[in-house]
Amino acid sequence: MTISTALESDLRNSIRTIPDYPKPGILFRDITTLLGNARAFRRTVDELVQPWAGMKIDKVAGIEARGFILGGAVAHQVSAGFVPIRKKGKLPHKRVSIAYSLEYGLDEMEVHEDAVVAGERVILVDDLIATGGTAEGAVKLMRQLGAEVLAACFVIDLPDLGGADKLRALDVPVRTLLTFDGH
């Protein structure tokens, strides 16, 4: 399912592109302008979860940090709990962690061990999917806790980098609202 051309145009126009950030040759897609536009933010949240409207969703898991903003709003919209997936060392209670691939090396993310109960139905949310290393790690982390990952939802897909395909290979449906070619 795709969004309407008019909505796509509205959302695309609400995202700022910053060239050469964080390094030369990169086009950074800044969603803070979308978040600051009440209408665009509301429509984004509505569209992210539209395919699963009416389904039982127990938790929404958001990837640090913009995934917290979007995921919290999505969780509210679908009357689900929210699970923050944090960078290593940021959670105070007993944690479960997983290593994941970055462009140059490995990092770790973690959740509280009691954040998800086995069998709970979870939707993963973040702002953007690029290479998919972080999202793939998040899916594996949720599954390690026994969750059923219903879908992964992103505002932006950079399809040239293959991250959405990586998640589909894990049998996770992927919902993206916009695609941007190139980096």
Side-chain angles (χ1 to χ4, degrees), residues 55-78:
M55 288 182 67
K56 182 181 182 327
I57 300 166
D58 298 302
K59 302 276 174 69
V60 174
I63 300 172
E64 189 167 350
R66 289 172 297 274
F68 292 178
I69 299 164
L70 293 164
V74 167
H76 173 77
Q77 182 76 2
V78 299

Side-chain angles (χ1 to χ4, degrees), residues 136 139 143 162-174:
E136 179 182 28
V139 167
R143 287 178 173 169
D165 289 337
K166 199 178 280 188
L167 295 185
R168 289 182 188 106
L170 294 173
D171 293 322
V172 176
V174 177

Side-chain angles (χ1 to χ4, degrees), residues 70-141:
L70 293 164
V74 167
H76 173 77
Q77 182 76 2
V78 299
S79 299
F82 178 74
V83 177
I85 300 176
R86 303 287 322 255
K87 294 175 182 168
K88 185 177 180 177
K90 301 284 185 178
L91 292 172
H93 191 58
K94 294 178 184 173
R95 301 164 302 282
V96 175
S97 64
I98 193 166
Y100 64 96
S101 298
L102 295 171
E103 192 173 349
Y104 301 106
L106 291 176
D107 205 349
E108 286 186 61
M109 67 178 80
E110 55 192 20
V111 295
H112 282 134
E113 67 179 10
D114 59 357
V116 175
V117 175
E120 284 189 316
R121 297 161 56 92
V122 175
I123 288 181
L124 181 67
V125 175
D126 204 359
D127 66 324
L128 181 142
I129 181 137
T131 63
T134 305
E136 179 182 28
V139 167
K140 290 178 178 177
L141 188 57

